[in-house]
Amino acid sequence: MIIVLFGPPGAGKGTQAKRLEERYGLKQLSTGDMLRAAVAEGSPLGREIKDIIDGGHLVSDDIIIRMIDARMDQADCQQGVIFDGFPRTVAQAEALDAMLARKNKQIASVLLINVDEQELYRRIERRAAEAAGKAREDDNAETLKKRLEIYRGQTAPVLPFYRQKELIAEIDGMAALDTVTAQIEAVLEQHQQAKKRA
Ligand code: AMP
């Protein structure tokens, strides 16, 4: 099963992805985590992208697509994956489609986690405070403003692409954590039932 978790920064994609990983035996593929790991390693790629990430801008589609293509072929992704923070542009969504067609796979559902902006600021500030000095460089109100602009300008336009394919399920991300998980699980159960009947 291939799932896309979609939503603005701070919507809870990472938290929910980790819960689904255990429950459904899927692999979370967070492009943000993969990029931060490259920065932490100090690899040439990491050095190239550090300032981009810290400023809340997007890393180039080319780098992201190559990274995901290689990662999807590894053994731990064969049961299925949860994309977290990918695709973030229409070009990435189109490349993902082509990539999955080549690998004979398809997206089961795109879960759009809706959270209002005021709440996103509260969450990012809380996340930074809880990280106690080890906060992500991009977890602050100023960079969140930039990340939200980019979400609206470059990432939200991916939604019509998936809407047209009737893949979107809307999730109320303002609800309590467990309620959000339950909403997502209900969508995935439905999908699994439909697949069994097919
Ligand atoms: P995230 O952890 O998903 O919030 O991502 C953190 C940062 O990594 C983003 O603000 C971007 O700079 C970069 N990034 C993560 N995923 C992508 C992607 N799919 N395309 C471009 N840049 C990305």
Side-chain angles (χ1 to χ4, degrees):
M1 185 156 58
I2 296 184
I3 306 294
V4 175
L5 285 186
F6 204 96
K13 301 186 293 292
T15 307
Q16 295 298 334
K18 288 204 174 70
R19 291 179 162 204
L20 299 175
E21 252 193 329
E22 284 166 26
R23 170 100 201 245
Y24 293 91
L26 303 172
K27 186 71 199 165
Q28 173 193 15
L29 290 192
S30 157
T31 40
D33 284 351
M34 290 160 86
L35 296 168
R36 281 186 289 278
V39 172
E41 265 170 30
S43 66
L45 170 70
R47 285 196 296 275
E48 187 184 328
I49 62 180
K50 183 180 187 314
D51 290 345
I52 300 175
I53 297 176
D54 290 353
H57 298 273
L58 291 186
V59 172
S60 81
D61 288 334
D62 225 41
I63 291 177
I64 299 288
I65 293 161
R66 264 187 286 137
M67 196 171 79
I68 288 289
D69 199 356
R71 188 66 186 83
M72 288 271 297
D73 289 336
Q74 291 176 14
D76 57 352
C77 293
Q78 301 318 307
Q79 280 243 56
V81 300
I82 311 158
F83 288 116
D84 158 10
F86 171 85
R88 249 178 164 98
T89 62
V90 173
Q92 290 180 19
E94 286 169 346
L96 176 61
D97 249 27
M99 190 191 304
L100 292 177
R102 260 195 331 269
K103 298 183 201 290
N104 223 352
K105 294 179 187 223
Q106 56 187 12
I107 295 172
S109 189
V110 176
L111 296 145
L112 169 59
I113 308 182
N114 292 306
V115 176
D116 69 39
E117 287 203 4
Q118 248 188 344
E119 173 65 11
L120 296 174
Y121 278 96
R122 275 199 290 271
R123 288 186 188 181
I124 292 284
E125 274 161 15
R126 202 182 320 137
R127 191 155 88 179
E130 281 169 6
K134 290 197 196 116
R136 283 168 48 172
E137 291 277 350
D138 59 348
D139 269 355
N140 56 69
E142 195 191 326
T143 311
L144 177 60
K145 186 163 174 272
K146 183 85 225 155
R147 289 159 73 197
L148 283 173
E149 265 169 37
I150 289 176
Y151 178 77
R152 283 191 294 265
Q154 296 191 57
T155 305
V158 175
L159 290 171
F161 178 84
Y162 287 130
R163 221 165 240 132
Q164 203 196 356
K165 295 175 187 283
E166 297 186 2
L167 281 174
I168 298 197
E170 306 240 5
I171 304 294
D172 173 15
M174 298 290 286
L177 258 185
D178 288 348
T179 313
V180 176
T181 307
Q183 291 176 64
I184 295 176
E185 286 179 351
V187 174
L188 300 189
E189 298 296 333
Q190 250 181 12
H191 184 80
Q192 287 190 323
Q193 294 302 329
K195 210 170 151 195
K196 265 188 213 149
R197 282 195 301 272

